[in-house]
């Protein structure tokens, strides 16, 4: 019989992880957390999370990098900032969630075809190219890449929106000088 | 009276799913004599998605908009609550973190733009409440809206995390504006509970439940319409009522209007002029 271990050994933790998170703008107060749980109590979506916000903060400080970045919690956070304004230690929990999303995207820590990172990437591509977003086109692209069969289900809503003049996939939502955006963003990346 | 002309930043939604918001805002402001001009060649604010991929790029996009607004006098109006927060956060971070500010200023210089931290950011509800004034506003009422029992739903992005607009959990700025026009404003404790935002497109199960809770409470509190000030809140609450009804065995049919559309009704503007025909749940029963 194989012995199963339910806790981690110290060599499996990443001691640098909390410092990485605290170094991002907004992460400064990470070490002040008193584990009161106000964030988890305020959060309208914590009931869907695999680890509550309070627990995520504790896990970051403990160095559980893999578990944190693999967690669904960071994608479920809808960034409503309720936790941030209620935190008695003024920890910017929502900003920390954003930092974790970026880290997870950068290091590929999410299930394939998972909608949120796909949507984030598609969004960025569209803005880089056109400077603006066409919501209808963005949603369609997202569905094609994640759940193509959902298109059928959503078609009736799409038609209603088109009739109401609220969706036009062919409208060219584009700024006059998209090259200015490209130049700006290139300039940032080269430094 | 407001003398200055505002620099109007519509954002992508007001040109798409939230066209009724733009139409009503423009009509209401011109009827009230508030001058506003669209920022020439504005770009996307970066929004929350950009924030999750690359914060620096997102901040740069917002700074370009602020630099353009600065050239027009520096009073920027942002009706979309999400754009409002993205821009406000950018302004805050550029001031707070030299590493961010320095880099962005440098990049903007390359395209001949200059960022100024003097730019003022305003949501239309702030302009009406703070600059225009409630007294003046109530003197402009042409048509009674006393039959409206409005549920004031603020959502999250306008009042959080920055708390300079109003209380972050229990704001009342829109309540006051709508009351001044004669509407009955319903006491609605969920006024800043999140609608799920873009979760409706990504993890629908969660978002549908969140909106079901909001609609149920709105009806139970006696509301006959909901007033919002964010495109995403309107979209989620208006466009998914059929699906919510089917899933939770409910029968909601409550109009979800932009607060500017409610104001437009009080000013006696035509339904089409303020884009009311674009809502999926019709507001016709409320028109007198």
């Amino acid at each position: 019989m194989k012995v199963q271990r339910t806790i981690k050994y110290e060599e499996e933790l990443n001691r640098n992880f909390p410092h990485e998170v605290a170094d991002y703008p907004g992460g400064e107060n990470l070490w002040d957390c008193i584990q009161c749980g106000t964030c988890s109590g305020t959060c309208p979506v914590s009931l869907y999370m695999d680890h509550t916000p309070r627990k995520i903060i504790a896990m970051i400080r403990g160095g559980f990098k893999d578990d944190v970045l693999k967690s669904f919690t960071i994608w479920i956070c809808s960034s409503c900032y309720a936790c941030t304004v209620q935190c008695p230690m003024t920890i910017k929990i929502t900003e920390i969630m954003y930092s974790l999303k970026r880290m997870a995207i950068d290091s590929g820590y999410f299930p394939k075809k998972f909608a949120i990172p796909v949507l984030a990437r598609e969004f960025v591509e569209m803005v880089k190219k056109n400077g603006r977003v066409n919501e209808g086109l963005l949603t369609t692209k997202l569905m094609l890449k994640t759940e193509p069969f959902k298109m059928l289900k959503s078609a009736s809503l799409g038609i209603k929106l088109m009739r109401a003049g609220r969706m036009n996939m062919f409208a060219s939502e584009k700024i006059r000088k998209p090259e200015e955006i490209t130049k700006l963003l290139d300039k940032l990346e080269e430094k | 009276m407001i003398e200055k002309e505002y620099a109007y930043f519509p954002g992508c939604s007001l040109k798409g799913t939230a066209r009724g918001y733009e139409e009503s805002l423009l009509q209401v402001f011109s009827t009230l004599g508030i001058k506003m001009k669209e920022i020439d060649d504005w770009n996307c604010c970066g929004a929350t998605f950009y924030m999750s991929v690359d914060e620096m790029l997102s901040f740069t996009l917002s700074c370009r908009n602020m630099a353009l607004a600065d050239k027009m006098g520096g009073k920027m109006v942002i009706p979309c609550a999400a754009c409002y927060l993205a821009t406000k956060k950018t302004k805050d971070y550029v001031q707070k973190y030299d590493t961010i500010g320095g880099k962005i200023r440098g990049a903007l210089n390359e395209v001949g733009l200059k960022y100024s931290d003097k730019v003022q950011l305003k949501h239309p509800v702030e302009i009406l409440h703070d600059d225009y004034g409630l007294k003046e506003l109530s003197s402009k009422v042409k048509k009674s809206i006393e039959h409206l029992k409005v549920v004031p739903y603020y959502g999250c992005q306008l009042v959080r995390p920055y708390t300079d607009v109003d209380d972050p959990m229990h704001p009342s700025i829109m309540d006051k504006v709508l009351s001044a026009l004669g509407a009955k404003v319903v006491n609605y404790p969920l006024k800043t509970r999140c609608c799920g935002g873009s979760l409706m497109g990504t993890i629908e199960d969660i978002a549908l439940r969140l909106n079901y809770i909001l609609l149920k409470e709105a009806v139970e509190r006696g509301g006959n319409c909901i007033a919002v000030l964010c495109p995403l809140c309107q979209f989620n609450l208006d466009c998914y009522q059929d699906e919510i009804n089917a899933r939770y065995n409910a029968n909601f049919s409550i109009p979800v209007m932009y607060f500017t559309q409610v104001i437009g009704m009080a000013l006696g503007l035509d339904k089409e002029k303020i884009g009311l025909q674009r809502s999926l749940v019709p507001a016709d029963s409320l028109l007198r």
Side-chain angles (χ1 to χ4, degrees):
Chain A
M1 198 177 93
K2 206 174 170 242
V3 179
Q4 281 209 338
R5 176 156 58 90
T6 55
I7 59 160
K8 285 201 179 207
Y9 289 151
E10 58 184 337
E11 58 269 29
E12 289 162 316
L13 300 173
N14 184 326
R15 286 289 174 209
N16 196 39
F17 185 52
H19 301 288
E20 259 180 75
V21 175
D23 280 349
Y24 271 105
E28 298 88 352
N29 296 351
L30 178 71
W31 297 105
D32 296 342
C33 178
I34 54 173
Q35 289 289 297
C36 67
T38 304
C39 46
S40 308
T42 323
C43 178
V45 287
S46 60
L47 67 161
Y48 301 103
M49 292 172 168
D50 44 359
H51 306 294
T52 60
R54 175 196 64 81
K55 210 169 148 194
I56 287 284
I57 300 286
M59 287 163 74
I60 296 170
R61 298 206 301 195
F64 291 77
K65 183 172 184 173
D66 287 354
D67 306 74
V68 169
L69 295 185
K70 273 183 199 152
S71 162
F72 264 106
T73 297
I74 59 180
W75 305 110
I76 286 171
C77 168
S78 59
S79 47
C80 80
Y81 292 94
C83 53
T84 302
V85 296
Q86 299 283 26
C87 175
M89 302 309 285
T90 63
I91 298 166
K92 294 181 174 169
I93 301 148
T94 313
E95 303 303 349
I96 291 177
M97 292 290 178
Y98 271 128
S99 305
L100 297 174
K101 281 178 204 177
R102 285 194 295 276
M103 286 182 191
I105 289 180
D106 286 347
S107 43
Y109 268 106
F110 51 83
K112 266 213 173 86
K113 294 202 169 184
F114 184 46
I116 298 173
V118 175
L119 180 59
R121 284 242 165 104
E122 288 294 326
F123 184 96
V124 169
E125 285 314 307
M126 197 177 272
V127 175
K128 273 190 177 168
K129 207 170 120 211
N130 301 329
R132 287 183 196 168
V133 170
N134 178 326
E135 299 157 308
L137 193 60
L138 181 69
T139 323
T140 312
K141 281 191 166 180
L142 168 73
M143 282 194 272
L144 280 174
K145 290 210 169 162
T146 54
E147 311 169 79
F149 78 95
K150 208 177 153 189
M151 300 272 285
L152 291 171
K153 207 179 117 211
S154 309
S156 75
L157 177 57
I159 291 166
K160 281 185 209 160
L161 289 170
M162 276 187 233
R163 277 212 197 111
R166 294 172 69 171
M167 194 171 123
N168 180 357
M169 293 200 329
F170 309 103
S172 109
E173 293 301 342
K174 206 171 184 173
I175 66 169
R176 262 203 336 278
K177 291 182 272 184
E179 67 281 359
E180 199 170 293
I181 302 279
T182 321
K183 202 172 159 191
L184 260 177
L185 302 184
D186 286 349
K187 205 75 218 164
L188 277 182
E189 274 162 0
E190 81 188 29
K191 274 174 199 168
Chain B
M1 264 316 281
I2 307 170
E3 294 294 324
K4 267 214 159 150
E5 187 175 61
Y6 291 97
Y8 168 47
F9 176 78
C12 304
S13 291
L14 271 83
K15 300 291 179 189
T17 53
R19 269 178 73 190
Y21 195 4
E22 169 163 78
E23 286 159 345
S24 55
L25 173 69
L26 297 179
Q27 284 292 325
V28 164
F29 270 28
S30 86
T31 308
L32 295 176
I34 303 172
K35 279 174 269 168
M36 189 166 80
K37 198 179 163 201
E38 184 168 329
I39 296 171
D40 183 43
D41 216 31
W42 56 270
N43 56 260
C44 165
C45 70
T48 53
F49 295 122
Y50 233 116
M51 228 52 112
S52 342
V53 174
D54 191 327
E55 240 180 359
M56 255 329 244
L57 299 187
S58 168
F59 292 147
T60 310
L61 288 169
S62 276
C63 278
R64 179 175 178 271
N65 289 327
M66 284 190 273
L68 296 173
D70 187 50
K71 285 204 269 187
M72 297 169 62
K75 284 191 156 209
M76 193 170 171
V77 186
I78 314 179
C80 168
C83 296
Y84 180 81
L85 174 56
T87 313
K88 199 177 219 177
K89 182 175 163 185
T90 301
K91 197 176 172 211
D92 181 37
Y93 275 45
V94 165
Q95 263 157 7
K96 218 175 266 170
Y97 302 99
D98 285 341
T99 42
I100 297 173
K103 243 181 161 179
I104 294 176
R105 277 174 223 268
L108 281 173
N109 271 338
E110 295 283 328
V111 295
L113 286 170
K114 208 168 162 261
Y115 169 74
S116 154
D117 48 22
K118 284 196 207 79
V119 178
Q120 281 179 27
L121 313 178
K122 293 256 185 186
H123 188 275
V125 77
E126 293 180 278
I127 293 176
L128 293 170
H129 181 273
D130 306 343
D131 302 356
Y132 193 77
L134 298 181
K135 249 193 183 157
E136 181 82 9
L137 190 62
S138 56
S139 75
K140 294 285 171 12
V141 175
K142 283 243 169 62
K143 217 170 180 179
S144 165
I145 53 166
E146 278 169 13
H147 60 293
L148 296 187
K149 293 175 200 133
V150 187
V151 173
Y153 179 61
Y154 294 74
C156 49
Q157 307 277 292
L158 177 71
V159 290
R160 295 197 291 257
Y162 301 101
T163 52
D164 49 352
V165 174
D166 207 338
D167 186 277
M169 301 305 273
H170 308 286
S172 60
I173 182 169
M174 176 168 62
D175 300 33
K176 289 177 200 151
V177 168
L178 298 176
S179 302
L181 295 162
K184 287 185 193 70
V185 178
V186 175
N187 176 25
Y188 188 58
L190 303 188
K191 48 171 66 164
T192 61
R193 195 182 198 271
C194 180
C195 74
S198 60
L199 283 178
M200 195 60 97
T202 52
I203 316 179
E204 202 184 63
D205 285 343
I206 298 180
L208 286 174
R209 172 66 72 169
L210 293 176
N211 285 277
Y212 166 64
I213 295 170
L214 294 172
L215 291 168
K216 189 169 175 233
E217 188 71 14
V219 172
E220 275 179 9
R221 295 253 163 193
N224 61 9
C225 63
I226 301 176
V228 298
L229 22 70
C230 168
L232 216 47
C233 297
Q234 201 281 343
F235 189 77
N236 286 345
L237 287 166
D238 175 40
C239 302
Y240 288 89
Q241 282 190 35
D242 282 351
E243 200 163 335
I244 289 170
N245 286 339
R247 183 177 293 216
Y248 304 107
N249 196 19
N251 57 349
F252 298 122
S253 176
I254 182 168
V256 185
M257 299 189 269
Y258 299 106
F259 79 109
T260 42
Q261 290 176 319
V262 181
I263 301 173
M265 280 170 73
L267 298 179
L269 300 171
D270 287 347
K271 172 188 165 186
E272 273 81 23
K273 275 195 166 169
I274 53 175
L276 272 178
Q277 79 284 9
R278 299 192 193 282
S279 298
L280 297 195
V281 179
D284 294 331
S285 61
L286 300 171
L287 299 171
R288 294 282 147 91

